[in-house]
Amino acid sequence: MTITHISEAQSTSSDSPIIEQPRMSVIGTGYLGATHAICMATLGYDVVGVDVDENKVAALQSGRVPFFEPGLPELLRTALDSGRLRFTTDFADAAASADVHFICVGTPQAKDSPAADMQYVDAAVSRLAAHLDRPALIVGKSTVPIGTADRLTTLVQEIAPAGTAVQLAWNPEFLREGYAIQDTLRPDRLVFGVSSDWAREQLSRCYTALLAAEVPLVVTDLATAELVKVAANSFLATKISYINAMAEVCEATGADVSLLARALSYDSRIGGRFLKPGLGFGGGCLPKDIRAFAYRAEELGVGQAVAFLREVDSINVRRRHRTVDIVRDLASGDLAGARIACLGAAFKPNSDDIRDAPALDVARMLQQEGASVTVFDPEAMDNARRAYPQLSYADNLVEAVLDADVVVLLTEWDEFTDANPEILGRLVSSRRIVDGRHALNADAYRSAGWEYRALGRPEHPATAVFLADEPLQVALSA
């Protein structure tokens, strides 16, 4: 076990024994919960997944993952066949069957404010606690406002028949969609927020294999563990918006943000990860988390300390509007009647998640200006159709770009970045493309007669080829 830091957590005594091979429940079987339940069963634990959605439970129990995540359907089938994983809607069953209970319920942005909506977490914890009549550990994994764990500890110990024999810990998740299995089974670090030695030791038994593999462990108090996730997301969002702010400066000066980002990336103090210009971030985490963090900081009287997050959010949203501006420029200044092919709907590749997806926001704004918009995404079509029924959708890439006046890359799926620009050029009405993700080989497109535009890059760059130790992107397929 590698422990990088242990804070002096509040000592809460417990005479409860440590269970070496704890049985687990996972409350909430959305993206986080289903992944966690499947992976914990894969590590050899007996796991029951719990959800109030009967259709979701039935799908998972039958071996169907209700979202797209590479490798997870195969892992689900293996876990079900092993007999170590099952799903139910019965909280009493979960309480009776498990020793450690992971809370993986969503915390979306509230409808009427930037705050996190905690009703689902509160409901899940309350329903579970009502059936806890013996010592147990509840472990929060959801992203929550600072102070939630203390509040829930009081709630649980008031409701649970076992009273103070039920303890609470916080173990934030750091999943990247498209890499969820890797991030669960081979994470960069584990964070345990605990208030007793017993909680720390019991939670450690849930990750025996990972700790044996020397995954770094940071043990903290509850509040710090809650803060780690929102602080990490805020830092990543800030880094993305920083390079996109530089893209705005580049557009005003004729500089090239791609070359700027490359130069900055060689500085070991900065690094290149997440220093990628383009359309910006979306999804179910970063946007709502930075808003909820700023809101909670205001409640705590330290709003000024994170006031910059509002500008981070604003820069991110401006990139969507600026993408529309570039498409309009390529369409001769008027989008009315222009045929626009939008490549991508998911907020990132290897996902079907369209929550706060920049791609669909851009497509919507293009249509509102009178453009005839056709959207194609390899995995997110069903979700996109439900959320944006007013848009038109294609069944494949060829259908999407056929007779298009402008093509816009909005999600950098391999199918799009590997496409041959000469072949695509034979399908469109005009060879004009906006690279919203800085994912295409600009030289290859220009050589094939395309008018190529990207956020923060000049129309006719003086330097088009990167120095050679890291090739730009891809060798385009035939």
Side-chain angles (χ1 to χ4, degrees):
M1 180 189 303
T2 300
I3 301 179
T4 59
H5 172 73
I6 301 179
S7 69
E8 293 190 13
Q10 286 182 307
S11 179
T12 301
S13 62
S14 175
D15 296 326
S16 303
I18 300 296
I19 299 172
E20 294 296 328
Q21 183 75 5
R23 298 168 299 170
M24 302 178 186
S25 79
V26 176
I27 313 299
T29 60
Y31 185 84
L32 166 61
T35 300
H36 191 67
I38 293 166
C39 288
M40 290 297 102
T42 300
L43 289 173
Y45 296 97
D46 289 331
V47 182
V48 54
V50 186
D51 206 291
V52 296
D53 186 332
E54 294 182 358
N55 293 329
K56 191 183 296 182
V57 166
L60 288 163
Q61 190 62 47
S62 67
R64 291 184 291 110
V65 177
F67 52 85
F68 178 76
E69 178 62 32
L72 201 60
E74 295 80 3
L75 216 58
L76 171 60
R77 175 47 58 194
T78 299
L80 289 171
D81 291 345
S82 74
R84 291 191 294 269
L85 178 63
R86 62 187 179 86
F87 296 90
T88 183
T89 58
D90 189 345
F91 281 77
D93 180 2
S97 302
D99 311 297
V100 177
H101 307 273
F102 288 93
I103 305 300
C104 299
V105 180
T107 53
Q109 184 173 323
K111 293 180 180 179
D112 56 354
S113 84
D117 186 346
M118 294 300 297
Q119 64 173 311
Y120 306 107
V121 168
D122 289 359
V125 168
S126 297
R127 289 187 64 176
L128 173 68
H131 301 286
L132 294 177
D133 57 4
R134 58 189 174 86
L137 180 64
I138 297 177
V139 184
K141 291 192 73 69
S142 304
T143 304
V144 297
I146 303 163
T148 297
D150 279 340
R151 180 176 63 81
L152 290 179
T153 296
T154 301
L155 177 68
V156 164
Q157 294 180 349
E158 287 176 350
I159 295 175
T164 57
V166 179
Q167 292 193 36
L168 200 102
W170 219 263
N171 171 218
E173 56 86 12
F174 303 101
L175 300 190
R176 299 167 296 163
E177 294 196 30
Y179 301 91
I181 296 172
Q182 173 184 324
D183 290 344
T184 303
L185 299 179
R186 295 183 295 279
D188 294 332
R189 75 287 203 194
L190 290 168
V191 176
F192 293 175
V194 295
S195 58
S196 73
D197 290 338
W198 176 83
R200 181 185 65 189
E201 291 301 322
Q202 187 60 80
L203 186 52
S204 295
R205 299 309 191 275
C206 298
Y207 293 104
T208 301
L210 276 62
L211 294 172
E214 297 191 338
V215 171
L217 170 63
V218 182
V219 181
T220 79
D221 54 88
L222 293 168
T224 302
E226 292 169 329
L227 182 57
V228 168
K229 177 60 186 292
V230 292
N233 277 357
S234 296
F235 188 90
L236 296 178
T238 300
K239 195 169 183 181
I240 294 167
S241 281
Y242 171 81
I243 197 61
N244 281 333
M246 293 303 99
E248 294 187 17
V249 175
C250 287
E251 289 169 5
T253 61
D256 190 324
V257 72
S258 292
L259 296 175
L260 175 64
R262 174 60 61 93
L264 292 174
S265 73
Y266 287 111
D267 189 323
S268 60
R269 299 168 300 174
I270 297 173
R273 295 191 67 186
F274 286 85
L275 198 70
K276 185 176 180 182
L279 189 51
F281 55 83
C285 291
L286 260 63
K288 63 98 175 174
D289 285 354
I290 64 172
R291 294 163 191 160
F293 186 23
Y295 184 89
R296 180 58 176 153
E298 288 282 356
E299 289 183 326
L300 294 170
V302 289
Q304 189 173 1
V306 296
F308 69 92
L309 289 178
R310 292 189 173 84
E311 184 56 29
V312 166
D313 196 11
S314 178
I315 292 167
N316 191 58
V317 172
R318 285 204 302 271
R319 293 292 80 194
R320 305 178 188 189
H321 292 276
R322 180 59 186 144
T323 300
V324 173
D325 291 341
I326 294 175
V327 176
R328 188 188 308 108
D329 289 344
L330 282 182
S332 302
D334 188 1
L335 285 167
R339 295 183 296 274
I340 311 298
C342 288
L343 304 186
F347 87 96
K348 63 178 289 185
N350 295 319
S351 172
D352 63 354
D353 192 342
I354 63 164
R355 290 175 294 176
D356 206 351
L360 287 170
D361 202 17
V362 168
R364 174 190 60 80
M365 288 189 284
L366 290 168
Q367 191 202 47
Q368 286 181 339
E369 290 200 30
S372 175
V373 176
T374 302
V375 177
F376 172 67
D377 187 285
E379 293 293 340
M381 296 292 280
D382 289 343
N383 290 338
R385 284 189 176 102
R386 284 192 292 269
Y388 294 84
Q390 71 273 28
L391 298 175
S392 297
Y393 296 90
D395 292 329
N396 52 61
L397 175 57
V398 170
E399 183 182 327
V401 303
L402 192 62
D403 295 327
D405 297 314
V406 182
V407 177
V408 193
L409 177 69
L410 299 171
T411 310
E412 63 273 38
W413 287 93
D414 287 348
E415 180 177 352
F416 303 150
T417 60
D418 290 350
N420 186 302
E422 181 57 44
I423 294 174
L424 285 183
R426 299 171 196 160
L427 300 171
V428 298
S429 174
S430 300
R431 295 192 180 196
R432 296 180 287 195
I433 190 163
V434 178
D435 183 1
R437 293 295 181 179
H438 287 244
L440 302 175
N441 188 319
D443 288 344
Y445 272 84
R446 289 192 175 105
S447 295
W450 288 77
E451 187 175 356
Y452 171 95
R453 297 283 301 277
L455 294 161
R457 298 193 70 184
E459 293 184 45
H460 305 289
T463 305
V465 180
F466 288 113
L467 297 179
D469 61 332
E470 292 181 44
L472 172 60
Q473 182 67 25
V474 294
L476 297 181
S477 62

